Each structure stands twice: as structure tokens, then as C-alpha cells.
Amino acid sequence: CNRRRIVRIVGSGEEWIEVETPRHARRIRFVLNDVRGVRETKEAIDQIARRPSPPVAVVGSSNTVLTVALAEALRQSARHGRESPVLLVPWATTVLAERAEPGHGPVALLDIDPDRTFRFCPNNQTQADLLTRAVLRHDDGLKPTRVDVIVDRLDPYSVDLTDSFHRTIERCLPSTELVERGETVHFPNLWNSPGLPSVEEEALAESIWHAVDKAGPGATRWVILPLQAEPARRMLLALHRHARGHTSEGSRAPLRVLCGDGIGLETLGLLAGQLSFPVWCYSAGLAPGTGSDAVDPVLYTDVAVLAELVAAVVDGLDVEGADSQDANSLRDRYGVSTSRQAIRRRSGVRLR
């Protein structure tokens, strides 16, 4: 944002950075609150909201569980008559989340703290719709004979993305059989200890290829992996190991694999050119680029969504008036029903 003159950096420290807006030279400080866990997250929000001058907005979090905790804590703070910050969501893609109150059923993530929560990432339904349409368009409308969804029922992201694919397949491919798999598999997401596929993952991959062979020539099968990065990587490796001579020769390939944004561009980059089947993936990441647009390769998968978020905050607060820098003015600037695309149009920023 600084390079594109959306902001001007005026100062920074180990856990903060301060910028100045381009039109009215307003100062905005972004501060890191590195908390972990649901209880710690709610306690941090309570402390932040009790300050004499609470922040305009809270940005977070990296997953659905902690984003729910943020929304619940901010809603509770507003009930106590405090000026509660708005919640800006960069990563949680879940459409429906479990309520804190048992027996009430799921709730839309953006409705936990309604009219004060804004999402900057794609939701899971958007991902399922776009992936399905993209593969069908690429295959000239060739429909799969069956769709297998490998779901991790212990992961809220996986469950919600699976439900989203159910709705999409039922709408776009009503006559196609859809089967959930993975009920006998444990899918640990061990970033610090990536390894080979487990015995259960290998067996699942083998059963999928056995069904492909049984279906015979000309049949096309989709496998959907709504999993986090490490489980998705292991399942891709397992499917490759059991491909038994199958190749990825365009539309003749008998298998298509569809992944959500959980897998990440970095993981896909490591597997590019090594698999015996095509993989389709949704990503909000930004390619590293070259020259003046080059991005630190360690950060490039995260920079686009956060840069758009920063641009929207800057545009929303860069207005004339002494009371322009508060949560209500930021919310009112865009309106409670503002979409991410509309924010882009108003701030004049599109980074990918």
C-alpha cells in the first residue's frame, strides 16, 4: 500500500506500524495483539473495548473458531453500552458457524455481530460455486459420473466447505452421485512435522482409484478435498502414488481434484508438475511478481487480502471532520450491506 501511495508510512515498531492517509493526512496505527486460544481472544477483546479510546476496528482471525470468539466478544461489549470496534475478517471463509448457545443451530458468521462484521476473503460457498463452474467450463460441460468429498468432520472449515459443495453440486449437477468419504481417517494438520500419507489415507486413495478403474473408459470422477494444507498435501500424494499409470492428458484424464483455499499456493507450488491428474484450487493469494511489483516470497500468499483491507480502512477514515475516526463512521462510510467488491470500487484498489 505504501509503494502504491495508498498510505504513507510515518513510523513503526516491533508490533505496530503507523500510516498517514493521502487526502487529509489522518494518522492510523495498526497494532499486533498476538493472542492464542478462544479464552485469551475474548479476554483481549474485553480489555481492548474497555479502553478510554478503543480501536476503530479489530482484524482477525486466521480460522473460524477464533473469528467466532472475536465476534461474540465484540457483540457482548456493544451490549454493555461501549463503543465497540467493527470486525474485519481476512481469512475465515466459513458461511455458517456453530452458536455458543447449545440447541440453537448454526448461525451465519457475519450475523454473530450483525451489521458490524465485514468479510474480505471469499466465503466457502463462493469457492465451491467458482470451482465447479470453472471445471465444467474447462471440460466443455463434461459432467462427472460421481463426486467424492473427503471431509474432516473434526475441522469446522472442512465441514462448512463440504456443505457448500453439497449445495453447489445439487444445483449444478443434480443427477450426479455425491458421496462423503473420510469417516475412518484422522487428518492431523501438522505444519511443523509434514510427513507421508498415513495408512488410512493411502487406503482411501487406493479405493478411489479402484472405483475409477471399475467405472471404465470415458468416465470422469471428481474428488473434492476441503481440507487444510497438510492433510490436502498428503491426500494428493496418496492419490498420485496409487494412480497406476493414469496420466493427466487434458479432458481424457479420468480424475479431477478440487481443493479449497486451505491448501495454499505454497503447497501447490511444491507439487506442480509432479501429479498424474489435474488439480483445481481456489486461492486469494497474490503471485510473487517481478520488478517493481515483486513481493517477499515468504509473505506473498497473505499480502493481497490484507492490503485490500488496509486500503478500505484508509479510504473509510480519510474524510474531513473531527469525529471521522471512529467505528461508527467507518461502518457508515460503506453501509452495513457493503460488499468487498463495492469497497474495492470506492477505494480504487484491486491488487490481484
Side-chain angles (χ1 to χ4, degrees), residues 4 265 283-289 293 295 299-304 351-352:
R4 298 184 180 215
L265 290 181
S283 175
L286 182 69
D293 277 337
V295 180
L299 302 176
Y300 76 86
T301 57
D302 290 343
V303 71
L351 295 177
R352 63 183 182 282

Side-chain angles (χ1 to χ4, degrees), residues 95-110:
V95 178
L96 297 175
E98 293 298 324
R99 295 178 185 266
E101 308 86 357
H104 286 75
V107 60
L109 183 66
L110 302 188

Side-chain angles (χ1 to χ4, degrees), residues 103-157:
H104 286 75
V107 60
L109 183 66
L110 302 188
D111 288 341
I112 296 175
D113 189 19
D115 298 341
R116 302 185 64 82
T117 304
F118 301 88
R119 194 200 307 263
F120 283 78
C121 56
N123 67 39
N124 286 335
Q125 191 63 60
T126 298
Q127 294 189 51
D129 291 347
L130 288 177
L131 278 167
T132 300
R133 292 203 303 267
V135 177
L136 288 174
R137 186 177 297 116
H138 179 269
D139 289 349
D140 295 325
L142 177 65
K143 297 179 180 180
T145 55
R146 173 166 157 162
V147 176
D148 288 326
V149 184
I150 313 301
V151 58
D152 180 1
R153 281 287 160 190
L154 298 180
D155 178 13
Y157 163 81

